[in-house]
Structure formats: structure tokens, C-alpha cells
Amino acid sequence: MRSINAQIICSILLSCQYVQCTLSPHSKSKSKQRESKFLRGPQDNDVFTLDLVSVEPLAKDILIHHESYYKDTALRRFNGTVLGYVTPWNSHGYDVAKIFAKKFDIISPVWLQIVKHGDDYAIAGDHDIDAGWLNDLRRKGKVQQNQRLRTVKVFPRIIFDHFTDRDIKLLLSDAKERTSLNEMLIRVCKQHGFDGLVLEVWSQLAGRIDDKILYTLVLQMAKELQKKQIRLILVIPPQRKGMPNLFGEKHMDRLYKYIYAFSLMTYDYSTVQRPGANAPLYWVRSAVEHIVPDGCPEMEVKRAKILLGLNMYGNDYTPDGGGPITYGPYLELVRHVKKQLTHDERDMENFFEIRTETGRHIVFYPTLYSINERIQLAQQLGVGISIWELGQGLNYFYDLF
């Protein structure tokens, strides 16, 4: 095991040479033999029984087991709230949400945008609403809990789209405008049977306007929705070193009594300009403690409302920069790894370095071990989890939840 930092990654990538290679007929035959051993769908044993949650997993184990999962998809290991995001551009996420519906408390489809039509507020993106899928999800998400029937809740994510500075100023300064907006949101939720909304606005406006005005917008929305039994989850940014404090302890203290939960975006720590782990474990911990410090008043109540962001995607760093990577391209690259993935013991993530016909790659992507470490951290801190996004990861990851 070893630790890797951005300088090392950059030096490796800048000094690398491109190589050309092709698959011979013999290697293609071997590839088909390997594929025949792949496991798919429900299995009798979970990843713990199979001893797959390894600090330095074997690449071949990932390739063999990644499409399988434990047959009892109602079994839950994590007792906090679990939210999963799904997007219309990743259809596999819709399937994952249904297969593992009993493991989730909330599913948040990324469907809706608030827009202005003249002076009126309207919803865009409602063409993505899939009533058949919603019915299937709710049916598969029913579970008996404490002598009561519980089912997965649906909270679509919603953002403000194509709002001008004038639109924002009017909304923030006029209570009637906000009431008009909230009435429109209530109608949409009632029409489609949504249990709540996930609002992404804090990162857009925090730092640009006074906190008091932003409080007013969010609190009025939360209170008016609450009157109609519609809950509000607020997306919030994590604290980053050297960056403005957009959401901290004072904001949590002001909002937590009225907001159903807070979706904390603890991912994208590293970038192409600063390569490395996607969500170092020490940083994830500090992001929670920054908002709700140890021993603060109502600590347990506040932390239970935090949904710790958990990425199901990774990053592929190349001499040209690279970018995010999901399961398909990841599996193509991991085939080139001969033995084990490396463990970054400082950041508690796995990565590997390979050279292919496209050049050099350094790939950080979640593993059973790295995800399990973050689930254990969430358990220890007393927070929930929000997964971005379903369908980007490997099926056997859900044995962990």
C-alpha cells in the first residue's frame, strides 16, 4: 500500500510515452474465456461472504463479480437514511433503483427545472417524468418495518434554470413572487404524487447575495411545502480549503429545524488540474464536522439530517487531462490491470496505473473497500448517505448498503 499525490501523478503523466498495441486472435480467445466466467444477477453469497471487500482488490475479481449481487435485495446493513439520485441520461440508474428499491429511503430523479414564462413560474423537464417507472419503484420499494408498511419516497431534484439577474432579484425581494413559485411547486408535487423536492440553489447563490435573503427564500419554500406534507431537501456544498465558507455551522443552526435533510456534495475534491482521489476520507469527515462539530447542541439531530455525498463515478487522468469515468469505460481499463489495485492509504481510495493504445492512464474509481470505509464513517458520524448517481457504479456495490 502507498499514498499518491498530485505532483507524482502530474510528473508521471507528463513524462509518459504513447504506445500502440492490438489484440491478437489468441488474446481475443482468452478474453472470451474470461467473459464466460463473469457472474451476473442475483447470487447466493454476498461480497462479504466471498471476501471481496479487500484493501487491494484483484482486478480479475472485479471483472468476474461486478454484475452480480446478493439475492436478498431487501437486506439492509446501513441503518441511516439512503438517498439515490437517478438521471434521464443514464437509463441503467432507473433499473438499479428498482432492483435495490428496498435499500433506499428516497430516490431523487434529476428531472425538473424552474423556469419563467413571462411573469409566471413554470416547470420544465416534466416530459422526463415516467409514471410507469414510478409505480414500479414504489411497488418494489415496499417493506414491512416496525409493524408498518414503508415504501421508498420520491423527491425529484429541482434547479432554477435560465433565470436572469432581474428574475432572481424579484424572487428574493418579493414575498408574493415566492408564494406564487411555491404554489406552482405544490401543484406539480400533488399532480405526480411526489413526497418532496431536492432543491439545488445554495451553491448557485451563496456568496453572491446576503445570507439573510437566501434564508428567506429557502425557509419560506420549506414552510409552505410543509403545510401540504411536502418535504424539502437542500443541496449544500462542502467546505474546501482556501475557499469561501458557503455553508457552515451557523447556516445549519438556522435551517435544520425546517429542512427535512441536507444533501452534502462530498465529491469532486480533485480535478484535472489537481489530480488525485475523488473524495479523501479525512476531507469527507471534516466536511461533516465543519457543519456539525462534535459536542455541539443537538448534534445527533442535526447530523441525522446530513446525507453524506457518495460518488459512484471516478476519474481517469491522462496526459491530455482526462475526466470523469463511469462503469463501462472503467471496466475496459481495469482489464489491463494484471494483479491488484493500489490503495492510497492517506485518502483511503484505490487507483491503478496502466498504459494502453491510447496512452497512460491513472484511474481513481470506487471499490467495495473504499465505499465500505465511507459507509462505516457515515455510521460512526451518525449521518445518512446520498449517492451520485445510481447506474454509474457496479451492481455488487449495493451489497454494502
Side-chain angles (χ1 to χ4, degrees):
M1 294 185 293
R2 62 190 176 91
S3 178
I4 187 167
N5 57 42
Q7 291 181 335
I8 295 174
I9 294 176
C10 289
S11 64
I12 291 172
L13 293 176
L14 290 173
S15 64
C16 75
Q17 298 293 323
Y18 288 91
V19 297
Q20 299 294 326
C21 64
T22 58
L23 285 174
S24 67
H26 182 62
S27 63
K28 288 180 181 178
S29 175
K30 285 185 175 180
S31 177
K32 288 182 179 179
Q33 290 175 7
R34 286 197 300 270
E35 288 177 3
S36 68
K37 294 190 293 185
F38 286 1
L39 298 176
R40 293 179 174 86
Q43 304 291 324
D44 290 334
N45 296 307
D46 65 18
V47 294
F48 293 100
T49 304
L50 295 171
D51 200 25
L52 295 175
V53 187
S54 171
V55 177
E56 293 189 326
L58 289 166
K60 69 175 184 179
D61 285 342
I62 295 172
L63 294 171
I64 290 170
H65 295 279
H66 73 88
E67 281 195 275
S68 65
Y69 53 86
Y70 184 48
K71 62 185 179 183
D72 184 3
T73 56
L75 175 66
R76 288 191 62 159
R77 299 179 180 276
F78 180 70
N79 59 17
T81 301
V82 180
L83 178 150
Y85 288 99
V86 295
T87 62
W89 52 85
N90 185 344
S91 60
H92 183 50
Y94 288 80
D95 296 329
V96 168
K98 290 196 295 185
I99 293 169
F100 304 104
K102 291 181 174 64
K103 290 180 179 283
F104 302 114
D105 299 281
I106 302 166
I107 294 294
S108 180
V110 179
W111 284 337
L112 307 179
Q113 306 94 46
I114 302 169
V115 296
K116 289 290 291 287
H117 286 168
D119 292 332
D120 297 324
Y121 295 95
I123 285 292
D126 51 347
H127 62 276
D128 285 319
I129 298 174
D130 187 334
W133 175 77
L134 286 171
N135 289 334
D136 287 346
L137 176 71
R138 290 178 173 125
R139 177 173 53 84
K140 292 177 181 293
K142 289 181 179 178
V143 61
Q144 200 72 27
Q145 189 177 60
N146 298 327
Q147 298 182 338
R148 296 181 63 185
L149 188 65
R150 179 189 69 82
T151 191
V152 63
K153 295 179 172 61
V154 179
F155 285 53
R157 192 202 68 170
I158 193 162
I159 61 172
F160 290 90
D161 193 31
H162 292 99
F163 266 57
T164 65
D165 287 345
R166 178 184 176 279
D167 293 332
I168 291 292
K169 183 177 180 181
L170 185 63
L171 179 65
L172 296 175
S173 61
D174 191 332
K176 291 182 179 179
E177 286 286 318
R178 295 191 295 273
T179 296
S180 176
L181 167 64
N182 295 332
E183 288 175 349
M184 184 271 296
L185 293 176
I186 290 167
R187 286 195 301 271
V188 170
C189 289
K190 293 298 184 182
Q191 178 184 352
H192 297 285
F194 298 145
D195 302 284
L197 293 169
V198 175
L199 176 66
E200 186 164 350
V201 69
W202 202 273
S203 296
Q204 293 175 294
L205 297 181
R208 293 175 51 194
I209 62 174
D210 187 90
D211 281 351
K212 292 180 181 179
I213 301 175
L214 197 49
Y215 286 141
T216 300
L217 172 66
V218 172
L219 287 172
Q220 184 175 341
M221 184 180 292
K223 291 175 182 179
E224 292 187 7
L225 292 177
Q226 172 64 31
K227 290 176 184 177
K228 302 298 182 179
Q229 289 75 52
I230 301 168
R231 312 291 186 178
L232 186 68
I233 293 176
L234 184 65
V235 178
I236 57 173
Q239 173 64 4
R240 298 176 184 273
K241 187 176 180 180
M243 299 289 286
N245 181 20
L246 298 181
F247 196 95
E249 185 178 4
K250 67 176 184 179
H251 301 100
M252 174 62 79
D253 288 346
R254 182 72 178 84
L255 295 171
Y256 81 96
K257 291 182 180 179
Y258 308 97
I259 301 298
Y260 186 69
F262 299 84
S263 183
L264 179 60
M265 301 165 67
T266 38
Y267 29 72
D268 293 338
Y269 177 83
S270 299
T271 64
V272 170
Q273 293 75 31
R274 188 186 63 185
N278 197 303
L281 194 68
Y282 68 86
W283 172 69
V284 173
R285 175 189 287 275
S286 67
V288 173
E289 294 174 343
H290 172 75
I291 298 169
V292 184
D294 287 340
C296 72
E298 299 285 325
M299 183 192 78
E300 292 183 359
V301 174
K302 294 173 186 174
R303 285 194 178 176
K305 291 195 170 194
I306 295 176
L307 306 179
L308 191 71
L310 189 61
N311 58 288
M312 287 288 181
Y313 62 91
N315 278 300
D316 174 19
Y317 299 108
T318 69
D320 294 329
I325 186 171
T326 57
Y327 75 96
Y330 168 76
L331 292 170
E332 289 300 317
L333 292 175
V334 84
R335 293 176 190 275
H336 296 270
V337 179
K338 302 303 181 185
K339 294 183 180 180
Q340 295 164 307
L341 276 60
T342 305
H343 178 237
D344 183 336
E345 58 189 11
R346 177 174 181 268
D347 296 338
M348 301 296 281
E349 289 194 18
N350 294 101
F351 69 95
F352 59 83
E353 306 169 41
I354 59 167
R355 183 176 293 163
T356 72
E357 63 273 13
T358 61
R360 193 67 170 264
H361 299 260
I362 298 180
V363 179
F364 284 81
Y365 185 86
T367 60
L368 290 168
Y369 179 80
S370 70
I371 293 174
N372 196 49
E373 287 294 305
R374 283 148 184 80
I375 292 173
Q376 289 184 14
L377 176 63
Q379 198 84 60
Q380 178 187 345
L381 292 173
V383 301
I385 289 171
S386 56
I387 301 171
W388 185 274
E389 62 175 279
L390 305 186
Q392 291 184 337
L394 308 179
N395 283 355
Y396 72 168
F397 287 165
Y398 298 96
D399 282 8
L400 302 170
F401 292 90

